[in-house]
Amino acid sequence: MAAAAAAGGQKQNLHVLSALDGAKTQWYHFTAIIVAGMGFFTDAYDLFCISLVTKLIGRVYYTVDGSPTPGTLPPEVSAAVNGVAFVGTLSGQLFFGWLGDRVGRKSVYGMTLLTMIACSLASGLSFGRSPACVMATLCFFRFWLGFGIGGDYPLSATIMSEYANKRTRGAFIAAVFAMQGFGILAGGAVAIGVTALFRARFPAPTYAADPAASTPPEADLVWRVILMFGAVPALLTFYWRMKMPETARYTALIARDAERAAADMSKVLQVEITKEQAGTAAAAAAAHQSRRRPFGLFSMEFARRHGIHLLGTTSTWLLLDVAYYSQNLFQKDIFSAVGWIPAARTMSALDELFHIARAQTLIALCGTVPGYWFTVAFIDVVGRFAIQLVGFLMMTAFMLGLAVPYAHWTSGAAAGGHTGFVVMYAFTFFFANFGPNATTFIVPAEIYPARLRATCHGISAAAGKVGAIIGSFGFLYLAQSPDPAKTAHGYRPGIGVRNSLFALAGCSFAGFLLTFLVPEPKGKSLEEMSRETETETGRRAVGIDAHFSLVG
C-alpha cells in the first residue's frame, strides 16, 4: 500500500511538472529571455570594455617624459585591472549560486543587478590624483562589479531552465547567454562613438610628433564614460527583473508552497493551475523527503549520481575560458603584433583607442555574435554534446591554423596576410560561441537537482573564471616576445604569440576530450536528467528512467 501511495504521489508530482515541460512557447518566455538576457548584456559589456581602455589609461597615467613610446600600464597593474573583476565574478558565482538554492532564485536576483549598477558607476568615478590611487579604487570597484556579475550566471541560467519547456529549453537558455555577444559588440560601439566625439572636439597630434599633446587632458574622461555606460542597460531592466515571479519548480519542489506555486505557474503558462494541482507536487516532494534524507553536495550519493558530471562541467568550462578570455582580453595585443593596428607612437591616445575598438567590434560582429545565435538555432536540433565537441575541435584547428604559419601571417609578404590572420582569428571566436562557450553555460542548468542546481552551476561557472584568471594573467606574460628588446616596458620575455596560440590549442583539445564526461540533456525533462524522483539509492533507476521515457 505504501509503495502504491508513493507511486501515486510520484505521478501526481510529474503531472504538475510535465505542465511546465509541455507548455507551448508563449510571450512570457520571450519576456524572461529579454529580462535575464539584459543582465548578460551588461555582464559582457562590463567585463570586456576594460580591455578597450587599458592602453588609454596607460597613456594618461603612466607616460614617462622623454620616452620614445607612449605610457603603458605596468605588468602588475595591468594584471590587477584585467583580472580583479574575474576574482569578484568567481566569488559571486559561488556565493549567489548557493544563496539562490537556499532562499530562492528571485529573492537574490535583484541584488546582483543593483550591485552591477552601483559598481559600474563607481568604476568610472575612481578617484584620486596619483596613478596608484586611481588604479586602487578602480580595482576595488571592479572586484565588486564582478561579484554582482558572478551572481547573474547561476541565477539567470537556473531561472530560464526552470521556466522553459523541454522542447526549446536549450534555445531559451542559449538566447539569454547570446546577449553576451551584443554586450561585447556594444562595448566596442560605445568606445567608437565616445572616442569619435572627443577626437572631433579635442584633436591631438601623434605621439611621435608631440608626446605631451598626443594625450589631451579630456582623455581621462573618455575611459570613465565608457565604463559608466555599463549601468544603463542594467537600470533599464531592473523594474522588470523585480516583477519576475519565483520559478514554479523552486516553489513546488523546494519551498513546497502550494498556493504560490499555482499562482507562479499560471503566470508562466498563462493557464489556470489550481492550488490543489500544485499541492500534489508539494505533497509528493514532502513525502519523498520524509522517506529518505535529501543528499547534499558533499555526500557519497551526489558523488555517485553527479560526480562525473560535475567534473565534466567544471573542467570543460575552465579549459574553454583559458582560451576564450585570453584571446578576447588581449586581442588588441595580437592585432598590434600582426600589424593590423598601427604602432602606438604613430597615433594619438584617442586614435589608438578608436583603432582598438574598431578591431574588437569587427571581430564581435563577424565571429562572436553569429556564433551565439547559431547555437540558439541548432542546440535543440543537434544537441549540446555535438555542438560542444565540434566547437572545441574547430577551435583547436583554427588556433593551429594561426600558430603553424604564424610567420606567414605576420610577415606581410603575401597580399592580405594580415586580413587572413584576422579572418582565421574570427573563426576561433565563431566556433567558441557556436560551441563550448554557450554549452558550458547551458548544461549545468539542466542536469543537477533543483535544490542544488544554482549551486552546481555556480561551481561550474567559478571553475570557468579560474580559467579566465589563468588566461588573463598567463597570456599577459606568455605572449611577450622571447627577444628582450621587443617586450613591452616592464615585462620579462615570454614565449611569444605563436607559442601561446599552440598552448591555447592544447587547452581546446583537452576540452574536446573532457566533453565525453558531460551528458546530453536534449529533449529530456529536468527531473529526468537530475534523477530527482528516485526513491531508493540507485536501485530503481532503470524503472524511473523507463517511466519518464513513457511520459516524456
Side-chain angles (χ1 to χ4, degrees):
M1 293 293 291
Q10 198 77 264
K11 290 178 180 178
Q12 290 174 321
N13 187 22
L14 289 171
H15 172 74
V16 176
L17 298 180
S18 66
L20 287 168
D21 286 326
K24 294 181 179 179
T25 300
Q26 299 169 9
W27 178 249
Y28 191 87
H29 290 119
F30 295 105
T31 301
I33 289 171
I34 294 170
V35 173
M38 286 308 292
F40 265 88
F41 178 100
T42 306
D43 296 349
Y45 182 96
D46 288 333
L47 284 178
F48 291 108
C49 69
I50 193 66
S51 69
L52 296 171
V53 301
T54 49
K55 283 189 179 283
L56 177 60
I57 295 173
R59 285 207 187 206
V60 172
Y61 292 102
Y62 291 93
T63 294
V64 178
D65 291 339
S67 172
T69 56
T72 58
L73 294 179
E76 65 280 359
V77 176
S78 181
V81 169
N82 282 296
V84 70
F86 292 143
V87 178
T89 303
L90 186 157
S91 306
Q93 286 164 337
L94 293 174
F95 174 74
F96 285 111
W98 168 81
L99 196 63
D101 284 333
R102 292 295 299 271
V103 302
R105 289 69 161 117
K106 187 211 170 177
S107 302
V108 296
Y109 207 26
M111 294 166 55
T112 63
L113 206 60
L114 281 176
T115 304
M116 290 156 57
I117 292 169
C119 292
S120 290
L121 296 173
S123 294
L125 297 173
S126 298
F127 49 84
R129 293 183 179 273
S130 69
C133 188
V134 173
M135 292 301 102
T137 54
L138 176 61
C139 288
F140 175 81
F141 290 124
R142 281 193 64 79
F143 172 85
W144 290 107
L145 173 64
F147 191 73
I149 289 172
D152 232 37
Y153 276 73
L155 293 174
S156 291
T158 300
I159 285 173
M160 201 66 243
S161 71
E162 293 182 345
Y163 277 156
N165 60 58
K166 67 180 180 181
R167 183 176 57 86
T168 58
R169 185 179 61 235
F172 287 168
I173 305 173
V176 170
F177 193 63
M179 296 300 289
Q180 190 178 78
F182 288 127
I184 296 171
L185 190 63
V190 169
I192 289 172
V194 173
T195 306
L197 289 174
F198 274 78
R199 283 202 310 172
R201 181 69 178 83
F202 307 103
T206 66
Y207 186 87
D210 188 340
S214 68
T215 306
E218 293 78 12
D220 190 48
L221 292 175
V222 173
W223 69 268
R224 296 175 184 274
V225 170
I226 292 171
L227 294 187
M228 293 173 70
F229 187 85
V232 174
L235 278 167
L236 293 176
T237 56
F238 179 74
Y239 170 79
W240 297 107
R241 181 169 286 202
M242 297 310 297
K243 293 276 289 183
M244 293 179 74
E246 181 59 88
T247 70
R249 277 188 164 90
Y250 180 89
T251 308
L253 295 178
I254 301 175
R256 301 200 300 275
D257 185 334
E259 187 171 1
R260 189 156 64 94
D264 289 347
M265 280 191 275
S266 295
K267 288 179 183 178
V268 174
L269 299 176
Q270 297 182 1
V271 296
E272 186 64 30
I273 299 178
T274 67
K275 177 180 176 180
E276 289 71 22
Q277 286 176 309
T280 62
H288 175 64
Q289 292 185 14
S290 67
R291 288 192 298 274
R292 56 186 294 269
R293 184 178 180 181
F295 57 85
L297 179 65
F298 300 104
S299 66
M300 290 300 297
E301 182 70 4
F302 179 87
R304 187 188 67 79
R305 295 188 184 206
H306 299 292
I308 295 296
H309 299 162
L310 191 59
L311 175 62
T313 57
T314 53
S315 61
T316 53
W317 205 334
L318 185 150
L319 291 164
L320 175 276
D321 277 5
V322 169
Y324 186 79
Y325 278 89
S326 60
Q327 284 187 284
N328 221 326
L329 283 172
F330 300 104
Q331 59 184 252
K332 61 184 182 296
D333 302 304
I334 293 174
F335 292 150
S336 297
V338 300
W340 207 46
I341 295 177
R345 65 187 309 273
T346 66
M347 298 181 286
S348 70
L350 295 182
D351 286 340
E352 185 177 27
L353 174 57
F354 181 85
H355 279 83
I356 292 169
R358 186 178 64 179
Q360 181 161 308
T361 302
L362 183 60
I363 290 295
L365 191 62
C366 297
T368 304
V369 172
Y372 281 116
W373 290 99
F374 265 70
T375 301
V376 174
F378 292 106
I379 192 165
D380 287 313
V381 178
V382 301
R384 291 74 161 144
F385 180 80
I387 288 177
Q388 182 164 313
L389 207 63
V390 172
F392 267 129
L393 194 60
M394 295 303 291
M395 286 175 66
T396 304
F398 279 107
M399 286 178 190
L400 291 175
L402 293 172
V404 173
Y406 187 73
H408 167 77
W409 296 123
T410 56
S411 66
H418 294 162
T419 302
F421 182 95
V422 172
V423 171
M424 294 278 286
Y425 189 66
F427 270 114
T428 67
F429 281 101
F430 175 82
F431 282 105
N433 294 306
F434 181 38
N437 193 40
T439 54
T440 53
F441 174 81
I442 295 165
V443 173
E446 300 180 295
I447 64 176
Y448 298 111
R451 65 181 178 280
L452 296 173
R453 186 168 290 136
T455 300
C456 291
H457 192 285
I459 292 171
S460 302
K465 284 302 166 282
V466 171
I469 292 168
I470 294 171
S472 59
F473 282 80
F475 195 81
L476 184 67
Y477 293 90
L478 289 176
Q480 294 298 318
S481 172
D483 184 353
K486 296 181 180 180
T487 60
H489 178 71
Y491 288 84
R492 295 179 179 180
I495 63 174
V497 172
R498 181 174 186 264
N499 289 328
S500 296
L501 288 169
F502 276 122
L504 297 181
C507 290
S508 298
F509 188 70
F512 168 83
L513 296 177
L514 288 166
T515 295
F516 288 94
L517 301 179
V518 182
E520 174 59 81
K522 181 174 76 81
K524 299 177 182 178
S525 71
L526 296 180
E527 289 68 42
E528 183 176 2
M529 288 305 304
S530 64
R531 296 164 57 188
E532 286 184 83
T533 52
E534 287 188 17
T535 56
E536 297 179 26
T537 309
R539 294 180 182 177
R540 301 178 60 196
V542 175
I544 294 296
D545 288 345
H547 175 71
F548 270 111
S549 69
L550 292 174
V551 300

